[in-house]
């Protein structure tokens, strides 16, 4: 039986470790990961063991000191696939989301998802800012700010958000007239 990476679905705990490592700049796994899980992830070639100096364990002169685990290329691909699966479940067709592109803070937007993700992890969304369909990466979508009230309900309460849509929410009560 071949126990290597690409066609195996990680367990919820393995997915949690993969996602944590994907967010780390050096793709390091948390140091408190369970040894049995690390062994399984090593067999699946999702992670590689590195020496304290950053070099792969087993290369050059053997080192017996502290080691740590980092995602391999297969591990990064698996982590990104799991991230895309999680985001696909969160951002289904018709959901409202906040668009925060990683490369530019100035182009934030509130969008409505209009398609399933393509093979690259992009979806078509209806942009509130541009009032047309645009294509965005699923990883650039965040949960939308909560609605202050149910749609269509009449009230004298207003929800005020900052110009970046996801800032601190403030609630102002209109003075009675």
């Amino acid at each position: 039986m071949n126990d290597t990476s690409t066609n195996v679905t990680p367990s919820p705990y393995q997915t949690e470790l993969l996602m944590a490592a994907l967010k780390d700049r050096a793709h390091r796994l948390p140091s408190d990961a369970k040894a049995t899980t690390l062994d399984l992830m090593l067999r699946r070639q999702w992670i590689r063991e590195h020496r304290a100096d950053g070099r792969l364990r087993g290369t050059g002169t053997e080192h017996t000191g502290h080691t740590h685990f980092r995602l391999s290329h297969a591990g990064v691909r698996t982590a990104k696939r799991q991230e895309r699966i999680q985001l696909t479940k969160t951002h289904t067709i018709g959901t409202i989301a906040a668009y925060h592109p990683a490369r530019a803070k100035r182009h934030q937007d509130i969008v409505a998802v209009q398609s399933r993700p393509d093979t690259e992890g992009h979806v078509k969304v209806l942009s509130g800012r541009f009032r047309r369909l645009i294509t965005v990466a699923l990883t650039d979508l965040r949960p939308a700010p909560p609605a202050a009230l149910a749609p269509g309900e009449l009230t004298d309460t207003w929800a005020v958000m900052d110009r970046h849509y996801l800032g601190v929410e403030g609630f102002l009560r209109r003075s009675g007239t």
Side-chain angles (χ1 to χ4, degrees), residues 22-72:
L22 189 61
K23 291 177 184 173
D24 182 73
R25 212 177 64 196
H27 290 170
R28 288 177 70 149
L29 267 71
S31 59
D32 61 347
K34 298 174 185 173
T36 54
T37 302
L38 292 173
D39 289 341
L40 184 59
M41 292 174 79
L42 274 168
R43 279 199 314 268
R44 291 182 176 167
Q45 300 175 8
W46 291 338
I47 59 174
R48 310 260 327 249
E49 191 170 6
H50 291 262
R51 301 185 323 201
D53 64 3
R55 293 172 48 189
L56 276 174
R57 184 170 177 239
T59 57
T61 312
E62 192 53 39
H63 175 67
T64 58
H66 179 73
T67 62
H68 61 274
F69 295 92
R70 293 183 189 173
L71 292 179
S72 66

Side-chain angles (χ1 to χ4, degrees), residues 19 25 41 65 73 76 97 115-116 127-128 138 157 166:
M19 301 308 271
R25 212 177 64 196
M41 292 174 79
H73 292 295
V76 170
S115 72
R116 291 189 174 132
S127 167
L138 267 174
T157 303
L166 289 179

